[in-house]
Amino acid sequence: MLPLIALFIAAFAFGTTEFVIAGVLPQVADGLGVSIPTAGYLVSGYAGGIAIGGPLLTLATKTISRKALLLGLAAAFTIGQAACALAPDFASMLLLRIAVAVAHGAYFGVAMVVAVGLVRHDQRGMAVALILSGLTVSNVIGVPAGTAIGNIWGWRATFWVMCALGVVSTAAMAALLPRKTGSSRQSVSFGSEVRVLARQQVWTSLILMLMLMIGQFGLFTYITPTLLEITGLDEDLVPWVLLLNGVGATIGVFLGGRLADWKLMPSLITMLFMQAVTLAVIYAVSPYPVPMVVAITVWGGLSFAIGTPIQTRILTWTADASNLASSLIPAGFNVGIALAASLGAAMLNAGYGYRSLPVVGAMAMLVAVAVALASHLQEWRRNTTPPLPVAAE
C-alpha cells in the first residue's frame, strides 16, 4: 500500500499544478504583462504537452527502469515548478509549462502500469483508482489551497509551494517504491506497441473515454455561467457547488475501482446509462437550485467512477505491450477535454444556450452505452481473455 501512496502523492502534485493555474490566472497575466485570454494559453499549452509529448516521452524512455523514470519525472516536475516561479516573461512560462506537461503525460501512463503491477489481479481497479484520485483530490484540496496562497502571497508563491510538494513526492517514491518495480527492457517492439491498439477492447475503450469527456467537460467547462444564469445561484455559492462536485468525484473514483475489480463491463455499461439519465435530469432540474446541486454532485461522482474501469480495461488488454497504450490514457483524456470544450463553444455560438449542454452530454453517454454493449458482447461470444504481462526485470 505504501508504494501506491507514494505514487498518489506525485499524482496529486501533477494534478494540482495542471489545474491551479486557473485559480491564479488573473495574477499570472498581470505579473507577466499579458491579457487574461493570452494567459489562457498556459492551460491549453499544458493540455497539448500531455496529449502529444507524454506518449512520445514514454516510448523514448521504455528501456529505462520504471522507478528511475518515475523519479526523473518527479524531479523534472520539481525543477519545473521552481523555474515557473522565477519565469521572467510569458514565453518562458509557456515553454516551462509545456515541459512539465510532457513529464505529466508520461508520469500517469507509467505510474498506472507500475501500480497495477504492484497488486493482485483482483485489485487492479483500486490501484488505478488510487492514482486517478490524485487528480480529484487535487481539485478538492490542492487547487483551492494553491489559489488561496496565490491570493495572499502572490502567484509565484503558489509555484514555490508546488516545488516543495515535488520534493516531498520525489522523496516518497525514492523511499517507498521497490527497487525493481519492473523495467521496460522487454522484447516488445514499436510494432507490437501499435498492434495492441487494434484490439477492439482498447479502441472501443478510447471511444468511451471521448464520450465520457463530452458528457463531463461539455457542461463542466461552462458550469459557472450555467449555475449563475440558468439555476440562478448566487455567485458566492458556486465554489461550494464545485466543491461538492469534487467530493462526489473523489468518492466516485474509489467506487469505480471497486466495481472494476468486481464486474468491470456490466458495471461500466450500467454507469454509462446512469450518467445519461443524470445528464437528462440536470437538463430538467437546471432552473431549480436544490435538485440541481444534488444532480451536479451525482454527475461528478459518476464521471470519475466511469473513468476508473475504462482505464483499467485499457491496461488489462495491453498488458503485453503497455507503454504506448498507457501513455494514451492521459493523452486521450486531454484530447477529449479539448473536444468537449470546443463542442460546447460551438453549441453556444450557434445560439442553443447553456441548457443544451447536458442534452449533448446525455446523447454522448447513450452512444457510449451502445459501444460498450457491442464490445462486451463480441468479447463474450469469442470467449477471449486478456493477455499476460511480458516478464519484466
Side-chain angles (χ1 to χ4, degrees), residues 230-231 284-293 355:
I230 306 300
T231 311
V285 304
S286 55
Y288 309 104
V290 173
M292 179 63 164
V293 171
R355 206 173 176 190

Side-chain angles (χ1 to χ4, degrees), residues 151-179:
N151 290 337
I152 297 171
W153 291 296
W155 65 270
R156 294 185 188 274
T158 299
F159 284 96
W160 283 119
V161 172
M162 294 305 304
C163 177
L165 185 58
V167 172
V168 172
S169 63
T170 305
M173 287 194 292
L176 300 176
L177 284 182
R179 186 172 63 87

Side-chain angles (χ1 to χ4, degrees), residues 162-291:
M162 294 305 304
C163 177
L165 185 58
V167 172
V168 172
S169 63
T170 305
M173 287 194 292
L176 300 176
L177 284 182
R179 186 172 63 87
K180 292 186 177 181
T181 56
S183 75
S184 290
R185 295 172 190 170
Q186 308 149 340
S187 55
V188 178
S189 66
F190 177 73
S192 298
E193 296 278 359
V194 174
R195 279 193 294 274
V196 299
L197 302 180
R199 292 172 184 160
Q200 68 91 357
Q201 294 87 353
V202 179
W203 61 261
T204 54
S205 294
L206 292 172
I207 292 173
L208 296 181
M209 186 183 294
L210 290 177
M211 293 301 104
L212 176 62
M213 291 298 95
I214 291 173
Q216 183 181 359
F217 279 90
L219 173 60
F220 191 78
T221 303
Y222 306 98
I223 190 64
T224 296
T226 299
L227 291 171
L228 294 175
E229 297 185 23
I230 306 300
T231 311
L233 284 184
D234 187 276
E235 189 174 8
D236 293 338
L237 294 177
V238 172
W240 295 102
V241 177
L242 298 180
L243 176 63
L244 287 174
N245 180 269
V247 170
T250 303
I251 295 171
V253 164
F254 292 103
L255 173 64
R258 289 288 185 188
L259 293 174
D261 288 332
W262 177 53
K263 290 185 181 293
L264 193 152
M265 285 307 293
S267 299
L268 178 57
I269 293 166
T270 301
M271 288 190 293
L272 288 169
F273 180 74
M274 289 173 60
Q275 187 70 317
V277 173
T278 301
L279 283 159
V281 169
I282 288 175
Y283 168 80
V285 304
S286 55
Y288 309 104
V290 173

Side-chain angles (χ1 to χ4, degrees), residues 270-358:
T270 301
M271 288 190 293
L272 288 169
F273 180 74
M274 289 173 60
Q275 187 70 317
V277 173
T278 301
L279 283 159
V281 169
I282 288 175
Y283 168 80
V285 304
S286 55
Y288 309 104
V290 173
M292 179 63 164
V293 171
V294 173
I296 289 292
T297 304
V298 173
W299 169 61
L302 278 171
S303 291
F304 279 84
I306 293 167
T308 303
I310 290 176
Q311 294 176 79
T312 303
R313 192 174 194 232
I314 292 173
L315 293 170
T316 299
W317 283 94
T318 60
D320 53 337
S322 60
N323 289 300
L324 179 59
S326 65
S327 67
L328 288 178
I329 292 175
F333 274 118
N334 279 273
V335 169
I337 290 170
L339 287 175
S342 299
L343 179 59
M347 293 292 294
L348 296 175
N349 289 332
Y352 286 99
Y354 295 116
R355 206 173 176 190
S356 68
L357 300 177

